[in-house]
Amino acid sequence: MGCFECCIKCLGGVPYASLVATILCFSGVALFCGCGHVALAGTVAILEQHFSTNTSDHALLSEVIQLMQYVIYGIASFFFLYGIILLAEGFYTTSAVKELHGEFKTTACGRCISGMFVFLTYVLGVAWLGVFGFSAVPVFMFYNIWSTCEVIKSPQTNGTAGVEQICVDIRQYGIIPWNAFPGRMCGSALENICNTSEFYMSYHLFIVACAGAGATVIALIHFLMILSSNWAYLKDASKMQAYQDIKAKEEQELQDIQSRSKEQPNSYT
């Protein structure tokens, strides 16, 4: 076999479905963790500078955001390892590996591990659906603030006395207490907030983080389909293995019977 044919055969053993799902999972988790971490820091800066000047009013929120940032580190580390494990599982259960390396024996432990991966991926997929929904909350909040600023900038309201009556009360979202001061911004002051780099950056980073969470959900669904297919393949392979063992045993018994039947006439003669 030449080098080209060997390379083609090796490429045939790559589980491309698992590889695509792994790349999508890594990309989604990286976008969610990286953009979410920076966006949370920008949100705290906006609250401290404009909506809650008293540190004690948003002390709990700052602790929660700091905890979420640490959780993001854990999520990134866990999914980096989990994605590699699932990719390795895809390599070892693909039918192309069987063609490359010959027959392999499946064990009950191997099938149990594949079933465990199916269950764990299903649980993680449901959890990431919740993360995806939760990541849409800050996008909704920032969108409301941005749309209010667009109303202030519109020609119909810009320069009129009613501009100062257009306000955003951040306390209604429940992230700071009702006694926080000032709690809300109106008119030109709100427009200045929308023009800051912190607001612009945090808004778009939250959008990217939400998209990353959605990509991770799609990747986990993709992994779930792959793992279910691999588990079914292992189950069928175990049945075929049991059938071949029984067939080989019967053939051996038949050969023993035939050899004994040939030996008996020779003993009489």
Side-chain angles (χ1 to χ4, degrees), residues 180-216:
F181 180 82
R184 70 172 187 171
M185 301 298 290
C186 303
S188 58
L190 180 61
E191 184 180 357
N192 292 332
I193 295 175
C194 294
N195 293 331
T196 59
S197 59
E198 290 86 0
F199 180 86
Y200 180 84
M201 185 65 67
S202 298
Y203 180 32
H204 289 84
L205 287 178
F206 273 127
I207 294 176
V208 177
C210 184
T216 306

Side-chain angles (χ1 to χ4, degrees), residues 72-187:
I72 284 175
Y73 297 145
I75 290 174
S77 303
F78 172 78
F79 272 90
F80 177 76
L81 295 176
Y82 190 67
I84 293 177
I85 292 173
L86 291 184
L87 181 61
E89 200 270 346
F91 268 102
Y92 283 107
T93 54
T94 182
S95 59
V97 174
K98 183 178 179 180
E99 295 176 359
L100 285 172
H101 303 287
E103 295 291 334
F104 64 97
K105 289 185 176 295
T106 61
T107 62
C109 180
R111 295 191 298 273
C112 181
I113 292 175
S114 296
M116 182 192 67
F117 280 137
V118 173
F119 175 76
L120 183 58
T121 304
Y122 175 79
V123 173
L124 290 175
V126 174
W128 268 96
L129 281 175
V131 173
F132 176 66
F134 179 77
S135 63
V137 174
V139 176
F140 173 74
M141 183 184 69
F142 274 85
Y143 173 77
N144 285 341
I145 298 174
W146 175 81
S147 60
T148 305
C149 291
E150 291 298 314
V151 173
I152 295 175
K153 296 177 183 178
S154 63
Q156 291 81 6
T157 58
N158 191 12
T160 62
V163 171
E164 299 301 326
Q165 303 298 324
I166 301 176
C167 303
V168 169
D169 193 344
I170 205 70
R171 295 170 297 186
Q172 65 181 344
Y173 297 105
I175 59 177
I176 57 176
W178 282 104
N179 58 356
F181 180 82
R184 70 172 187 171
M185 301 298 290
C186 303

Side-chain angles (χ1 to χ4, degrees), residues 12-120:
V14 177
Y16 292 101
S18 297
L19 185 62
V20 171
T22 303
I23 294 174
L24 183 61
C25 182
F26 283 172
S27 301
V29 172
L31 289 175
F32 174 79
C33 294
C35 296
H37 184 276
V38 179
L40 287 173
T43 303
V44 173
I46 294 173
L47 290 175
E48 291 178 347
Q49 296 173 7
H50 303 285
F51 291 98
S52 179
T53 57
N54 190 0
T55 306
S56 61
D57 292 337
H58 59 271
L60 178 61
L61 177 64
S62 299
E63 293 178 359
V64 171
I65 289 179
Q66 186 177 8
L67 178 62
M68 291 174 63
Q69 290 175 334
Y70 286 122
V71 171
I72 284 175
Y73 297 145
I75 290 174
S77 303
F78 172 78
F79 272 90
F80 177 76
L81 295 176
Y82 190 67
I84 293 177
I85 292 173
L86 291 184
L87 181 61
E89 200 270 346
F91 268 102
Y92 283 107
T93 54
T94 182
S95 59
V97 174
K98 183 178 179 180
E99 295 176 359
L100 285 172
H101 303 287
E103 295 291 334
F104 64 97
K105 289 185 176 295
T106 61
T107 62
C109 180
R111 295 191 298 273
C112 181
I113 292 175
S114 296
M116 182 192 67
F117 280 137
V118 173
F119 175 76
L120 183 58

